[in-house]
PDB file of all heavy atoms in Angstrom:
ATOM      1  N   LYS A 211      17.383  33.384 -29.980  1.00 98.00           N
ATOM      2  CA  LYS A 211      15.912  33.522 -30.135  1.00 98.00           C
ATOM      3  C   LYS A 211      15.278  34.457 -29.094  1.00 98.00           C
ATOM      4  O   LYS A 211      14.337  35.160 -29.357  1.00 98.00           O
ATOM      5  CB  LYS A 211      15.315  32.132 -30.069  1.00 98.00           C
ATOM      6  CG  LYS A 211      15.697  31.215 -31.208  1.00 98.00           C
ATOM      7  CD  LYS A 211      15.351  31.784 -32.537  1.00 98.00           C
ATOM      8  CE  LYS A 211      15.837  30.917 -33.694  1.00 98.00           C
ATOM      9  NZ  LYS A 211      15.618  31.526 -35.040  1.00 98.00           N
ATOM     10  N   VAL A 212      15.893  34.467 -27.883  1.00 98.00           N
ATOM     11  CA  VAL A 212      15.430  35.406 -26.865  1.00 98.00           C
ATOM     12  C   VAL A 212      15.545  36.823 -27.418  1.00 98.00           C
ATOM     13  O   VAL A 212      14.609  37.643 -27.217  1.00 98.00           O
ATOM     14  CB  VAL A 212      16.282  35.253 -25.589  1.00 98.00           C
ATOM     15  CG1 VAL A 212      16.002  36.394 -24.630  1.00 98.00           C
ATOM     16  CG2 VAL A 212      15.995  33.901 -24.927  1.00 98.00           C
ATOM     17  N   GLU A 213      16.625  37.130 -28.070  1.00 98.00           N
ATOM     18  CA  GLU A 213      16.828  38.455 -28.615  1.00 98.00           C
ATOM     19  C   GLU A 213      16.039  38.721 -29.859  1.00 98.00           C
ATOM     20  O   GLU A 213      15.433  39.781 -30.060  1.00 98.00           O
ATOM     21  CB  GLU A 213      18.340  38.696 -28.840  1.00 98.00           C
ATOM     22  CG  GLU A 213      19.175  38.597 -27.584  1.00 98.00           C
ATOM     23  CD  GLU A 213      20.703  38.456 -27.890  1.00 98.00           C
ATOM     24  OE1 GLU A 213      21.059  38.516 -29.045  1.00 98.00           O
ATOM     25  OE2 GLU A 213      21.447  38.243 -26.898  1.00 98.00           O
ATOM     26  N   THR A 214      15.930  37.712 -30.753  1.00 98.00           N
ATOM     27  CA  THR A 214      15.208  37.892 -31.998  1.00 98.00           C
ATOM     28  C   THR A 214      13.691  38.100 -31.736  1.00 98.00           C
ATOM     29  O   THR A 214      13.055  38.880 -32.417  1.00 98.00           O
ATOM     30  CB  THR A 214      15.406  36.632 -32.844  1.00 98.00           C
ATOM     31  OG1 THR A 214      16.817  36.469 -33.142  1.00 98.00           O
ATOM     32  CG2 THR A 214      14.643  36.755 -34.211  1.00 98.00           C
ATOM     33  N   PHE A 215      13.163  37.371 -30.742  1.00 98.00           N
ATOM     34  CA  PHE A 215      11.759  37.408 -30.497  1.00 98.00           C
ATOM     35  C   PHE A 215      11.340  38.357 -29.304  1.00 98.00           C
ATOM     36  O   PHE A 215      10.254  38.258 -28.749  1.00 98.00           O
ATOM     37  CB  PHE A 215      11.198  35.981 -30.187  1.00 98.00           C
ATOM     38  CG  PHE A 215      11.371  35.003 -31.292  1.00 98.00           C
ATOM     39  CD1 PHE A 215      11.602  33.613 -31.043  1.00 98.00           C
ATOM     40  CD2 PHE A 215      11.253  35.427 -32.602  1.00 98.00           C
ATOM     41  CE1 PHE A 215      11.711  32.709 -32.046  1.00 98.00           C
ATOM     42  CE2 PHE A 215      11.381  34.505 -33.666  1.00 98.00           C
ATOM     43  CZ  PHE A 215      11.595  33.180 -33.378  1.00 98.00           C
ATOM     44  N   ALA A 216      12.284  39.258 -28.989  1.00 98.00           N
ATOM     45  CA  ALA A 216      12.053  40.157 -27.800  1.00 98.00           C
ATOM     46  C   ALA A 216      10.746  40.956 -27.962  1.00 98.00           C
ATOM     47  O   ALA A 216      10.135  41.264 -26.916  1.00 98.00           O
ATOM     48  CB  ALA A 216      13.260  41.029 -27.614  1.00 98.00           C
ATOM     49  N   ASP A 217      10.373  41.319 -29.126  1.00 97.00           N
ATOM     50  CA  ASP A 217       9.252  42.265 -29.316  1.00 97.00           C
ATOM     51  C   ASP A 217       8.043  41.507 -29.903  1.00 97.00           C
ATOM     52  O   ASP A 217       7.056  42.139 -30.264  1.00 97.00           O
ATOM     53  CB  ASP A 217       9.642  43.408 -30.243  1.00 97.00           C
ATOM     54  CG  ASP A 217      10.673  44.293 -29.596  1.00 97.00           C
ATOM     55  OD1 ASP A 217      10.596  44.493 -28.365  1.00 97.00           O
ATOM     56  OD2 ASP A 217      11.550  44.823 -30.318  1.00 97.00           O
ATOM     57  N   VAL A 218       8.127  40.155 -30.070  1.00 98.00           N
ATOM     58  CA  VAL A 218       6.972  39.412 -30.631  1.00 98.00           C
ATOM     59  C   VAL A 218       6.044  39.027 -29.471  1.00 98.00           C
ATOM     60  O   VAL A 218       6.369  38.108 -28.670  1.00 98.00           O
ATOM     61  CB  VAL A 218       7.492  38.154 -31.394  1.00 98.00           C
ATOM     62  CG1 VAL A 218       6.246  37.395 -31.888  1.00 98.00           C
ATOM     63  CG2 VAL A 218       8.448  38.571 -32.504  1.00 98.00           C
ATOM     64  N   VAL A 219       4.935  39.707 -29.361  1.00 98.00           N
ATOM     65  CA  VAL A 219       3.971  39.416 -28.222  1.00 98.00           C
ATOM     66  C   VAL A 219       3.036  38.317 -28.687  1.00 98.00           C
ATOM     67  O   VAL A 219       2.471  38.328 -29.796  1.00 98.00           O
ATOM     68  CB  VAL A 219       3.182  40.703 -27.892  1.00 98.00           C
ATOM     69  CG1 VAL A 219       2.232  40.421 -26.755  1.00 98.00           C
ATOM     70  CG2 VAL A 219       4.138  41.866 -27.520  1.00 98.00           C
ATOM     71  N   LYS A 220       2.829  37.366 -27.843  1.00 97.00           N
ATOM     72  CA  LYS A 220       1.942  36.245 -28.031  1.00 97.00           C
ATOM     73  C   LYS A 220       1.013  36.106 -26.824  1.00 97.00           C
ATOM     74  O   LYS A 220       1.219  36.779 -25.802  1.00 97.00           O
ATOM     75  CB  LYS A 220       2.724  34.955 -28.233  1.00 97.00           C
ATOM     76  CG  LYS A 220       3.459  34.529 -26.989  1.00 97.00           C
ATOM     77  CD  LYS A 220       4.258  33.240 -27.223  1.00 97.00           C
ATOM     78  CE  LYS A 220       3.369  32.033 -27.336  1.00 97.00           C
ATOM     79  NZ  LYS A 220       2.747  31.673 -26.062  1.00 97.00           N
ATOM     80  N   ILE A 221       0.099  35.257 -26.929  1.00 96.00           N
ATOM     81  CA  ILE A 221      -0.799  34.981 -25.773  1.00 96.00           C
ATOM     82  C   ILE A 221      -0.183  33.830 -24.997  1.00 96.00           C
ATOM     83  O   ILE A 221       0.308  32.824 -25.575  1.00 96.00           O
ATOM     84  CB  ILE A 221      -2.242  34.609 -26.224  1.00 96.00           C
ATOM     85  CG1 ILE A 221      -3.168  34.609 -25.067  1.00 96.00           C
ATOM     86  CG2 ILE A 221      -2.248  33.326 -27.021  1.00 96.00           C
ATOM     87  CD1 ILE A 221      -4.613  34.447 -25.493  1.00 96.00           C
ATOM     88  N   ALA A 222      -0.142  33.971 -23.682  1.00 96.00           N
ATOM     89  CA  ALA A 222       0.271  32.831 -22.854  1.00 96.00           C
ATOM     90  C   ALA A 222      -0.953  31.906 -22.643  1.00 96.00           C
ATOM     91  O   ALA A 222      -2.040  32.372 -22.884  1.00 96.00           O
ATOM     92  CB  ALA A 222       0.802  33.354 -21.511  1.00 96.00           C
ATOM     93  N   ARG A 223      -0.675  30.675 -22.228  1.00 93.00           N
ATOM     94  CA  ARG A 223      -1.775  29.763 -22.019  1.00 93.00           C
ATOM     95  C   ARG A 223      -1.586  29.047 -20.703  1.00 93.00           C
ATOM     96  O   ARG A 223      -0.440  28.635 -20.422  1.00 93.00           O
ATOM     97  CB  ARG A 223      -1.852  28.746 -23.183  1.00 93.00           C
ATOM     98  CG  ARG A 223      -2.322  29.393 -24.476  1.00 93.00           C
ATOM     99  CD  ARG A 223      -2.402  28.380 -25.620  1.00 93.00           C
ATOM    100  NE  ARG A 223      -2.895  29.040 -26.823  1.00 93.00           N
ATOM    101  CZ  ARG A 223      -2.109  29.675 -27.679  1.00 93.00           C
ATOM    102  NH1 ARG A 223      -0.812  29.773 -27.435  1.00 93.00           N
ATOM    103  NH2 ARG A 223      -2.611  30.239 -28.762  1.00 93.00           N
TER     104      ARG A 223
END
Side-chain angles (χ1 to χ4, degrees):
K211 295 303 175 183
V212 169
E213 297 165 6
T214 302
F215 297 149
D217 295 324
V218 179
V219 182
K220 64 180 290 290
I221 191 173
R223 293 180 177 83

